[in-house]
Amino acid sequence: MESSASSGGPLADVRVLELGSFIAGPFAGQLLGDYGADVIKVEPLGEGDVMRRWGVVRDGESLWWPSIARNKRSAAIDLRRPEGRDLVRRMAREVDVVLENFRPGTLAGWGLDYATLAADHPGLIMVHVSGFGQSGPRAGDAGFGSIGEAMGGIRHTTGNPDRPSSRAGISLGDSLASLFAVIGTLAALSERSRSGRGQEVDVAIYEAVAALMESTMADHELAGVTRGRTGSVLPGVAPSNVYPTRDGGEVLIAANADTIFGRLCKAMGTPELITDERYATHEARGRSMTELDGLIARWTATLDAAELLEILGEHRIPAGRTFTAADMLADPHYAAREMVVRLTNAAGLEVPAAGVVPKFSRTPGSVPAPGPALGAHTRAALADLAGVGPGEWDLLLSSGVVAGG
């Protein structure tokens, strides 16, 4: 059967059965679908995945849903019923990957754990995304992305030093976990091509966050340095900050490397700073960060943002404005890189979303289909993966085990 996903993506021969809801897990399914995988999303009957109503809603549909469920097929199956769980077991025999983000132990209680499914399909890969992982004293605890961000350490380093810890304005922990789920899926698929055997991939949200925390543990244990909140800068890295402009804009300038700092000094008309002992080396600039930022800010404040960026560009200094969504939608580089795609949702509204990342030269990913209606592919997916014929379909439909067409 033809998938709703691109037939030319690098994962065009991979089938994924997605179980779960919210962001951690389903975002991984979105990415795998972007790369051409056939992703069959199992949703509960009734209202389906909560992401259908999450965030900003217009005309009764979440503006997030067309993107996070793009390239997926929706199968509405009641997993609370034994018949529904049996259908999923049958479907799992025909896929490469089962992707799930239920609380650990839930699938085992339903007889859908890896050991059970792999008994019929030794090559199956099961990817788990949870708050704290499948083992350890907190494995069974409820874990949301915000908790993972706190336990993973990034909240402690985010914000201003004189205020409580802050968060990014997105679901960072969930998204990071999904990225590691995709990496783990690809690694397991690669290993299976050699061994012929599947395995479990265990992603914990807090661990996905902790993996990004650089040398913070070593800094603390071996040097007695505990990184904390430092606002818009990194200690010892200068100049690299957001600077004001005459027209009220904000421009980020990253000129902390010696050669780039020299070019910045020339752009500012202050070449003498290149050899000034306070700024001549990376270490010296780190010690004089506050004073140096003040000098640069006084210069940038005399220029409008566009004029400042033009000067910085002429001197090959990394710089850029702080973008809003409006900037992304209007930016020519975003457009040239196809980083804004437009999906038509169920209400007929054209919804912009981020394009496919990364770009592939020979087998490009694509976004041919927005998030589907609940159960739009139930019958076709069950016929394709579970061998459900017309008679069994009618029985399942009439008994309320499945829904959709």
Side-chain angles (χ1 to χ4, degrees), residues 66-77:
S67 182
I68 199 167
R70 68 197 197 189
N71 301 341
K72 299 178 185 181
R73 294 196 273 165
S74 171
I77 302 173

Side-chain angles (χ1 to χ4, degrees), residues 240-274:
S240 182
N241 206 342
V242 178
Y243 300 93
T245 62
R246 183 171 56 195
D247 55 354
E250 292 182 346
V251 172
L252 197 147
I253 300 175
N256 44 292
D258 289 346
T259 54
I260 300 174
F261 177 68
R263 296 199 294 270
L264 175 62
C265 293
K266 293 176 182 177
M268 293 170 59
T270 54
E272 68 277 6
L273 296 182
I274 298 174

Side-chain angles (χ1 to χ4, degrees), residues 42-66:
V42 174
E43 298 187 69
L45 276 61
E47 296 186 336
D49 190 334
V50 295
M51 291 303 295
R52 292 179 176 274
R53 303 169 301 282
W54 199 263
V56 180
V57 176
R58 181 170 171 180
D59 299 324
E61 182 171 299
S62 165
L63 297 182
W64 197 343
W65 177 254

Side-chain angles (χ1 to χ4, degrees), residues 158-211:
T158 304
N160 292 309
D162 58 342
R163 298 184 181 181
S165 61
S166 186
R167 68 168 295 167
I170 57 170
S171 302
L172 185 62
D174 291 321
S175 297
L176 287 174
S178 287
L179 290 172
F180 277 99
V182 172
I183 295 169
T185 298
L186 300 179
L189 286 168
S190 176
E191 193 280 334
R192 191 183 68 175
S193 70
R194 299 189 299 273
S195 70
R197 300 170 58 194
Q199 60 182 304
E200 293 178 87
V201 177
D202 181 2
V203 180
I205 296 174
Y206 87 92
E207 291 171 357
V209 175

